[in-house]
Amino acid sequence: MDIATVVGVLAGFALIIGAILSGGSLKIFVNVPSLLIVVGGMLCSVLIHFSLGQFLAIFAVIKNAFFHKAHSPVILIQQMVNFAAINRRDGALALEQEMRKVDDPFLVKGLQALVDGQEEDDIRALMGMETEYMQARHGDGKKILEFMGASAPAFGMVGTLIGLVQMLQNMSSPDDIGQGMATALLTTFYGALLANLVFIPMAGKLGQYSKSETLAMEMITEGVCAIVRGDSPTVVREKMQAFVSASKRADVKVTI
């Protein structure tokens, strides 16, 4: 679980609720019609803009913003250095034993291609295609959240217009004027809150996750290809250290 995302969302809502309670009752900020206009309208627009499959994947996309298993570049480099040492000492077939200890499907696929004796160009093409499709999937999820972040305030404005029309048509009744104004203002509030505290930040977080995962997959690709070429563990380490900052490079050791 990404602690920063959880803390950010909870702290943001706590801050808003605290500000409301400091000046009055939370009850006056609860308006079901306003919420239906914003949330319902936003979901309908998503359903129109995207396919049914993409719409049904909304919850999975939001889940990915909270739960993400990050790869450690230093650990990845150390793994590839160790695999290079095993390959040089015992041959490619010895890596089959090591594959059982790996829980990354992408790394397993690369090692399996290596063990099968595929050429470097074929391995690079295979793993490059996998990376591109991963980026496309993540890009679709990010686009959904960005669209939700854009449509929520728009439907907040729609609710505001509805509330103003209701208010202007009932100027003779003070109660109806108050209800119309509540709908008008609260829909704008709901739309702005959901967009700027939930959907847009989550889209940005998914973008960061995608960059991190792309980097990890590129590191794995380069490491596997270096092993295929028969590079020594030291050479593999030196090449892959280009992916990390200088302060972390000393953590990677060559073990043969």
Side-chain angles (χ1 to χ4, degrees), residues 38 42 45-46 50 142-155 190-203:
V38 174
M42 177 191 65
S45 65
V46 172
F50 296 94
K142 185 171 181 288
K143 287 178 183 177
I144 291 175
L145 289 177
E146 288 175 338
F147 184 83
M148 294 171 73
S151 62
F155 279 97
Y190 289 150
L193 180 63
L194 290 175
N196 294 286
L197 188 58
V198 180
F199 301 127
I200 294 177
M202 282 187 180

Side-chain angles (χ1 to χ4, degrees), residues 127-138:
M127 301 182 79
M129 187 182 301
E130 188 83 14
T131 303
E132 290 177 4
Y133 282 124
M134 181 277 298
Q135 292 174 327
R137 291 193 302 270
H138 288 187

Side-chain angles (χ1 to χ4, degrees), residues 34-56:
S34 297
L35 196 60
L36 289 176
I37 290 172
V38 174
V39 177
M42 177 191 65
L43 292 177
C44 289
S45 65
V46 172
L47 186 59
I48 295 170
H49 190 275
F50 296 94
S51 67
L52 180 60
Q54 290 173 316
F55 175 81
L56 296 177

Side-chain angles (χ1 to χ4, degrees), residues 113 117-128 225:
Q118 294 189 32
E119 298 294 331
E120 177 185 348
D121 290 342
D122 294 333
I123 294 176
R124 190 178 294 276
L126 173 66
M127 301 182 79
C225 289

